[in-house]
Amino acid sequence: MNGGEAPGARAAVIADRFDLMAWHEIRAEAPELDGLARSLNRRHDHTDDLLADVFLLAYKVAPQMRERAAMHPARRVNHQVVASLADSREFAALHRETSGDPYAAALAVLAQGEALRRMLERAAEATERARRAERAGRARQEAGGTAAAGAFG
């Protein structure tokens, strides 16, 4: 573990060093990708990793998704977003044009910017609803425990 960080993968799409080299090279050549990353990072965490995953999903000829359980807990939202893209017919059609072409794959990432923003917003809202429900459930349990203790005390 790094500095107490939970174990797990940062990337949803399995990549080799050549795939990652293509991403880093195109990222250095396309300042628009940095702009998108900064924009998404204002409200969401780990979007640099998300953009790399979307690029790899578009770039790799036969992209392979990592199992969700193998992901670092903080990156599971990214996995959900990338899996959603991978399952869409629209992205499958786009992939036919971007596969193996780093420039086309980078353009695909940029073209998906608003969709990524919407998916991240929905994921954040769902996470917040789950947290509120969990807190409410704990409060009910504590209230029930206090009432039971008062009945027997």
Side-chain angles (χ1 to χ4, degrees):
M1 285 197 255
N2 299 339
E5 190 175 303
R10 293 174 38 169
V13 178
I14 298 169
D16 63 25
R17 64 188 176 107
F18 299 108
D19 299 325
L20 296 175
M21 191 179 342
W23 166 244
H24 292 294
E25 286 175 3
I26 202 72
R27 179 82 187 256
E29 292 179 32
E32 299 86 359
L33 290 168
D34 281 329
L36 178 57
R38 279 192 307 276
S39 173
L40 293 174
N41 271 326
R42 286 188 197 115
R43 298 210 42 197
H44 308 285
D45 296 326
H46 313 297
T47 56
D48 289 331
D49 294 333
L50 175 62
L51 294 183
D53 278 331
V54 174
F55 170 82
L56 293 167
L57 188 65
Y59 174 68
K60 291 179 65 75
V61 173
Q64 300 276 317
M65 292 286 295
R66 184 170 271 107
E67 291 294 322
R68 188 175 191 281
M71 296 293 295
H72 182 283
R75 278 20 179 240
R76 288 186 181 149
V77 169
N78 288 1
H79 187 280
Q80 177 184 345
V81 168
V82 174
S84 179
L85 280 177
D87 290 342
S88 75
R89 284 193 313 256
E90 295 84 9
F91 200 85
L94 183 62
H95 182 257
R96 286 190 287 276
E97 304 300 321
T98 62
S99 176
D101 183 340
Y103 295 100
L107 288 173
V109 172
L110 293 170
Q112 295 298 313
E114 275 310 306
L116 294 173
R117 189 178 322 281
R118 285 191 306 274
M119 286 187 262
L120 288 168
E121 287 296 325
R122 284 195 300 269
E125 290 166 2
T127 299
E128 184 54 32
R129 282 193 305 273
R131 284 186 187 134
R132 281 196 304 265
E134 184 179 326
R135 283 193 300 267
R138 280 197 307 264
R140 279 193 298 277
Q141 285 178 335
E142 289 171 7
T146 302
F152 295 107

